[in-house]
Amino acid sequence: NAGVTQTPKFQVLKTGQSMTLQCAQDMNHEYMSWYRQDPGMGLRLIHYSVGAGITDQGEVPNGYNVSRSTTEDFPLRLLSAAPSQTSVYFCASRLTGLTEAFFGQGTRLTVV
Amino acid sequence: GESVGLHLPTLSVQEGDNSIINCAYSNSASDYFIWYKQESGKGPQFIIDIRSNMDKRQGQRVTVLLNKTVKHLSLQIAATQPGDSAVYFCAENTGGFKTIFGAGTRLFVKA
């Protein structure tokens, strides 16, 4: 059982480049979320989804897009990378709104 | 290793002592609360949860207390061990769809 899998683990981008962070879960969870974690800031919610075809914005959505075409996958797209998006990104999934989240191992992104 | 959490509040305890980590949450309508543990280089891991209709829940060596009057959550770890050293986050579910995390506390256990 792989749980939540994120790829890549590390990425360096130049300012203005775009890329997609991948997230897949094999637990048949309806709820999936993306967070970013900066030093001293805890985890901040970027976007979330409550099922295939349904997404919504979190606390810090600007500069990011998401889609949810399948239950398993929830990719996060950076449209035009900026140094302020340098962070560690975590994907999470959970079965319902009242159960714990399972997190991936994270993607460390550096924008230069 | 990870550089996150450099400026987090730190709690330092002696091995074998009990630890208490506190958290203030923001939304009086939140209905579900969770504590997560994050070790260096890893994603957060679930420790214990509590629903808003409860004020205390116990697990193995851990207890969560919820005070809705003052919007306060605490995590108690009994007989703290070196393996408990990590960053601890409280999180609240607002409306069942969003999970919002607190800033976190770094626990350092002295052997």
Side-chain angles (χ1 to χ4, degrees):
Chain A
N1 189 343
V4 180
T5 302
Q6 289 183 238
T7 57
K9 289 188 177 181
F10 301 94
Q11 182 72 49
V12 178
L13 289 178
K14 293 183 179 179
T15 297
Q17 286 185 314
S18 62
M19 80 158 294
T20 299
L21 307 186
Q22 300 292 343
C23 176
Q25 53 91 8
D26 61 0
M27 298 174 281
N28 202 32
H29 286 173
E30 290 295 328
Y31 292 76
M32 296 187 74
S33 306
W34 275 103
Y35 292 86
R36 59 177 288 172
Q37 186 172 34
D38 304 317
M41 298 291 290
L43 286 86
R44 290 184 290 170
L45 181 64
I46 304 172
H47 286 285
Y48 65 98
S49 169
V50 298
I54 306 170
T55 65
D56 206 347
Q57 297 181 348
E59 302 169 277
V60 289
N62 292 341
Y64 308 94
N65 274 356
V66 292
S67 59
R68 186 94 181 272
S69 56
T70 67
T71 299
E72 295 78 19
D73 300 297
F74 191 43
L76 177 73
R77 297 185 195 85
L78 279 70
L79 308 173
S80 177
S84 61
Q85 293 178 306
T86 293
S87 189
V88 181
Y89 291 84
F90 287 100
C91 178
S93 75
R94 54 195 173 111
L95 183 62
T96 73
L98 294 177
T99 56
E100 76 274 21
F102 294 82
F103 285 82
Q105 289 297 297
T107 295
R108 179 185 284 276
L109 176 68
T110 302
V111 183
V112 298
Chain B
E2 287 288 342
S3 61
V4 294
L6 286 177
H7 307 294
L8 293 174
T10 298
L11 174 65
S12 185
V13 300
Q14 197 69 38
E15 181 180 1
D17 287 350
N18 297 334
S19 303
I20 299 177
I21 300 171
N22 296 305
C23 174
Y25 64 92
S26 57
N27 191 335
S28 58
S30 294
D31 54 5
Y32 177 61
F33 304 87
I34 318 102
W35 279 99
Y36 290 94
K37 173 185 180 183
Q38 187 177 28
E39 296 174 307
S40 181
K42 297 183 179 180
Q45 289 182 294
F46 170 82
I47 301 174
I48 191 168
D49 59 1
I50 189 168
R51 299 195 180 188
S52 59
N53 60 353
M54 304 171 67
D55 53 20
K56 180 178 180 179
R57 189 162 189 225
Q58 288 185 293
Q60 186 176 13
R61 280 202 309 121
V62 293
T63 300
V64 55
L65 299 177
L66 174 63
N67 185 331
K68 293 182 288 294
T69 303
V70 295
K71 293 191 288 186
H72 183 268
L73 200 64
S74 69
L75 176 69
Q76 301 177 2
I77 304 174
T80 313
Q81 303 168 359
D84 295 327
S85 292
V87 177
Y88 289 81
F89 294 98
C90 67
E92 59 183 303
N93 268 26
T94 59
F97 302 130
K98 293 183 181 181
T99 300
I100 303 298
F101 280 73
T105 297
R106 179 181 300 280
L107 176 65
F108 178 69
V109 181
K110 297 176 287 186

